[in-house]
Amino acid sequence: MNAYNFAYLDEQTKRMIRRALLKGLAIPGYQVPFASREMPMPYGWGTGGVQVSAAVLTPEDTFKVIDQGADDTTNAVSIRTFFQRTAGVATTTVTHDATVIQTRHRIPEEALGEGQILVYQVPIPEPLRFLEPRESETRKMHSLEEYGLMHVKLYEDISRHGHIATSYAYPVKVEGRYVMDPSPIPKFDNPKLGDMAAIQLFGAGREQRIYALPPYTQVVSLDFEDHPFEATKADHPCGMCGAQDSYLDELIIDDAGGRMFVCSDTDYCEARQAAGHKGKDAA
Amino acid sequence: MYVAVKGGERAIENAHAWLAEERRGNTDIAELGIAQIREQLSLAVNRVMAEGSLYDPDLAALAIKQARGDLIEAIFLIRAYRTTLPRFGASEPVDTGAMACDRRISATFKDLPGGQVLGPTFDYTHRLLDFKLAADGDVPEAPARAAETGDVPHVTGFLNREGLIEEARHDDTPPRDLTREPLEMPADRPLRLQALTRADEGFTLGLAYSTQRGYGRNHAFVGELRIGAVPVEMDIPELGFAIEIGEVTLTECETVNQFTGSKTEPPQFTRGYGLVFGQTERKAISMALVDRALRWEELGEDNVGAPAQDAEFVLYHADNIQATGFLEHIKLPHYVDFQSELELVRKLRREAGVDQVQEAAE
């Protein structure tokens, strides 16, 4: 792959992306427009995250990719292979060994530390998009801090269902200013967004937006005093490692619709099993 | 007993190997050459060049071969390739008045300087399957005569002389570059035209057709449609002047649209414009109609709420590479989001008092 620059993108493009990242870090939660490039993988498949990773990776980095919490889902494999080929960086599945982690739809269970970067793939960066389809309108709403519509939506959920009917991509407010879409992570992961030691970078390729959370940023999930935010997960322990505190995938294991629950974070689950923890379904 | 799903890597490799085999098809049949695609499927090549925004018939033919004839996939290959190419600079604006026209027709004037030239068109063919083509491909030689030399004036220029058509304002401001800057609204006309020339042909056609059927009607005449090669000139800083670096075939469509006047503009004909790489006239005409529909604001027309008048709607959804990527991404795993939705729906059902028969199966 010598025909391409380190980490695929040319240096001019990386510089443009880094500028957007720095701006994003300076204004946490603000969506910075950037000139997203066509990547050799389809829009909607992590091109935003891939461009951000390409802009921050150095030859000394150790790179981890997860999709839905797992290192071995096909698209995670594909993105990891892409950077192995184009950047030749070391890769790992071990969360605390990685310096850059690209993720889709999850935050690892293990707390991240300083010196680590978490790169999110973002499909729709605009938290107000499904309330107002026009970009020209939503940008105005952000600049005027006009978030009433979002609160009305959450309130309508409560009046109709008794609670807020958003279970993933649950909107947050950053440092009391910008309402931000945390990407489609389950709301179980929302509490990890705030006060995190690692840098969090969000890339939306098709929508041409970058935003960021510097370390130890205040991030609050939107709620009401009498309807406080609640992080939820399936009310089971992991069938493989017995963890009570991890986010679980539900699997159908036989024709009768029998189910079991396992950690969505494969590294977390494997590490616990290696340490001797055993769930009720483990061999 | 559940075993964690492993082997994504091997599955991908094997899928790629199978794909390569399927692409080649039955090896008893001769393999398709790039030159064959370039010469005999040239309209497909043209579409890939136009929507891929890269004028290179050989690369487009290669992309079509690699994509097994899936043109959007081929366009994607070309787009992903073109982003890696260095930019040496920009050409001078091409002069379509100096086009060596293969085809040039006007629907507004029966005859005009430069004449009507039908050119290689399907227009008046009877759409009957030619079974002879299945047997042999020999074609009789087409009659030829010496080409007309000299510039072919634009039809709209004749109307302009009488002041019957809006003046096309001359503007030397360098246009924004859609491929180097994020698309931001409001988009001016040069940016809209850039987006439309690489827009999906089907989407553009559908929008253009919708204006003809009344969703933002602006009755269009094809003032002129011309197809042919134009020289491309580039200013070379070391030389201090522009030199010809090659030529490209273009399709240009100028529509003349009815306009009874508005608060700000007098009654006059108005313009829609389409310019596309290659012989791509369906696309160029569609582009001109959509361009005209998007101009409602500057012409002081009413926004009747038609999709083709809505620049955000049109520009954010016209790119087939963006659209197909996002559409097809729903094939990717969504276990996590789906799981959180499962929890939510179960909770809502519990609260609504719906019996949870499924719980018994656990």
Side-chain angles (χ1 to χ4, degrees), chain A residues 164-213:
Chain A
I164 294 167
T166 298
S167 58
Y168 63 91
Y170 190 101
V172 295
K173 196 162 201 180
V174 180
E175 289 288 341
R177 177 58 180 87
Y178 285 101
V179 167
M180 186 191 96
D181 180 292
S183 89
I185 56 172
K187 67 178 182 175
F188 173 83
D189 282 339
N190 271 31
K192 301 178 201 165
L193 290 160
D195 214 29
M196 188 190 278
I199 297 174
Q200 298 175 78
L201 306 174
F202 298 79
R206 189 179 39 79
E207 298 279 339
Q208 309 187 313
R209 294 291 182 274
I210 276 173
Y211 50 104
L213 296 171

Side-chain angles (χ1 to χ4, degrees), chain B residues 187-189 191-193 195-196 207 211 216 218 271-272 287-299 301 306-315:
Chain B
D188 57 10
R189 195 171 175 211
L191 200 64
R192 296 198 302 257
L193 290 170
L196 288 174
L207 280 174
T211 68
N218 56 51
R271 297 165 184 259
M287 177 176 167
L289 264 61
V290 176
D291 168 51
R292 176 59 187 80
L294 288 172
R295 298 183 59 215
W296 64 273
E297 207 165 3
E298 63 176 287
L299 295 171
E301 289 177 325
Q309 288 181 309
D310 186 332
E312 275 208 47
F313 178 81
V314 173
L315 301 189

Side-chain angles (χ1 to χ4, degrees), chain A residues 4 8 33-35 37-45 67-68 72-75 77-78 80 104-106 123-124 133-136 161 163-168 184 186 206 208 230 233-234 236 240 247-251 253 256-262 264 270 281-283, chain B residues 1-9 11-12 76 79-84 178-186 198 310 312-313 316 319 321-344 346-348 351 358-362:
Chain A
Y4 295 102
Y8 184 76
F34 83 111
R37 301 286 193 253
E38 273 109 351
M39 298 300 285
M41 59 264 292
Y43 284 121
W45 296 55
D67 186 341
Q68 314 284 302
D72 47 24
T73 40
T74 39
N75 204 44
V77 170
S78 163
R80 188 167 58 239
R104 176 170 171 262
H105 298 190
R106 271 314 307 276
I124 305 278
R134 276 163 211 290
E135 183 67 16
S136 44
H161 308 295
H163 37 82
I164 294 167
T166 298
S167 58
Y168 63 91
R206 189 179 39 79
Q208 309 187 313
E230 192 193 357
K233 69 178 205 64
H236 297 269
M240 300 301 287
Y247 192 77
L248 302 170
D249 282 340
E250 179 174 337
L251 311 165
I253 50 174
R259 285 175 285 161
M260 73 172 279
F261 293 85
V262 288
S264 98
E270 281 161 21
D281 303 301
Chain B
M1 187 51 55
Y2 165 76
V3 185
V5 188
K6 287 275 180 196
E9 207 149 346
I12 290 175
F76 184 15
R79 289 270 193 99
Y81 176 74
R82 93 185 273 288
T83 46
T84 66
L178 185 69
T179 65
R180 296 278 132 165
E181 294 166 37
L183 175 62
E184 288 185 88
M185 298 292 156
R198 56 164 23 197
D310 186 332
E312 275 208 47
F313 178 81
Y316 277 130
D319 189 287
I321 302 308
Q322 291 175 352
T324 198
F326 197 57
L327 181 103
E328 296 197 44
H329 107 281
I330 61 174
K331 294 182 287 191
L332 287 175
H334 283 79
Y335 320 134
V336 165
D337 339 19
F338 185 68
Q339 182 61 33
S340 57
E341 288 287 87
L342 267 179
E343 296 301 326
L344 181 67
R346 282 190 184 126
K347 187 169 171 189
L348 294 177
E351 281 161 12
Q358 287 300 314
E359 291 293 346
E362 237 185 286

Side-chain angles (χ1 to χ4, degrees), chain A residues 126-138:
Chain A
E126 179 48 72
L128 306 168
R129 178 60 65 239
F130 300 115
L131 306 172
E132 167 54 62
R134 276 163 211 290
E135 183 67 16
S136 44
E137 285 301 313
T138 52

Side-chain angles (χ1 to χ4, degrees), chain A:
Chain A
M1 295 289 282
N2 290 333
Y4 295 102
N5 194 29
F6 173 78
Y8 184 76
L9 292 176
D10 59 281
E11 293 303 316
Q12 281 305 102
T13 300
K14 285 193 211 170
R15 178 182 295 177
M16 175 272 294
I17 295 171
R18 287 176 193 141
R19 279 189 181 142
L21 288 170
L22 290 173
K23 184 167 181 182
L25 285 163
I27 318 171
Y30 170 74
Q31 298 169 52
V32 185
F34 83 111
S36 177
R37 301 286 193 253
E38 273 109 351
M39 298 300 285
M41 59 264 292
Y43 284 121
W45 296 55
T47 54
V50 167
Q51 289 178 78
V52 170
S53 291
V56 299
L57 274 177
T58 65
E60 294 76 38
D61 273 310
T62 304
F63 189 53
K64 171 182 165 83
V65 189
I66 49 173
D67 186 341
Q68 314 284 302
D71 295 274
D72 47 24
T73 40
T74 39
N75 204 44
V77 170
S78 163
I79 291 170
R80 188 167 58 239
T81 315
F82 176 73
F83 281 110
Q84 268 170 344
R85 286 173 62 192
T86 58
V89 289
T91 60
T92 183
T93 60
V94 182
T95 302
H96 56 254
D97 286 348
T99 52
V100 179
I101 302 174
Q102 181 169 331
T103 180
R104 176 170 171 262
H105 298 190
R106 271 314 307 276
I107 298 175
E109 304 292 354
E110 191 182 329
L112 301 180
E114 291 178 9
Q116 288 186 300
I117 299 176
L118 185 60
V119 178
Y120 294 78
Q121 301 171 200
V122 182
I124 305 278
E126 179 48 72
L128 306 168
R129 178 60 65 239
F130 300 115
L131 306 172
E132 167 54 62
R134 276 163 211 290
E135 183 67 16
S136 44
E137 285 301 313
T138 52
R139 286 194 80 78
K140 227 178 285 167
M141 290 161 78
H142 282 293
S143 49
L144 299 173
E145 216 174 331
E146 199 183 287
Y147 295 128
L149 202 57
M150 179 62 93
H151 284 104
V152 170
K153 190 258 171 198
L154 299 176
Y155 171 75
E156 282 179 351
D157 273 5
I158 293 171
S159 58
R160 193 175 308 156
H161 308 295
H163 37 82
I164 294 167
T166 298
S167 58
Y168 63 91
Y170 190 101
V172 295
K173 196 162 201 180
V174 180
E175 289 288 341
R177 177 58 180 87
Y178 285 101
V179 167
M180 186 191 96
D181 180 292
S183 89
I185 56 172
K187 67 178 182 175
F188 173 83
D189 282 339
N190 271 31
K192 301 178 201 165
L193 290 160
D195 214 29
M196 188 190 278
I199 297 174
Q200 298 175 78
L201 306 174
F202 298 79
R206 189 179 39 79
E207 298 279 339
Q208 309 187 313
R209 294 291 182 274
I210 276 173
Y211 50 104
L213 296 171
Y216 307 111
T217 300
Q218 185 205 63
V219 181
V220 180
S221 301
L222 299 183
D223 63 357
F224 296 98
E225 267 171 41
D226 50 345
H227 284 273
F229 171 82
E230 192 193 357
T232 54
K233 69 178 205 64
D235 191 16
H236 297 269
C238 169
M240 300 301 287
C241 77
Q244 301 273 359
D245 57 353
S246 65
Y247 192 77
L248 302 170
D249 282 340
E250 179 174 337
L251 311 165
I252 298 169
I253 50 174
D254 56 39
D255 290 352
R259 285 175 285 161
M260 73 172 279
F261 293 85
V262 288
C263 294
S264 98
D265 184 334
T266 49
D267 174 58
Y268 184 74
C269 195
E270 281 161 21
R272 279 181 52 87
Q273 289 177 59
H277 296 282
K278 223 169 179 187
K280 70 177 176 63
D281 303 301

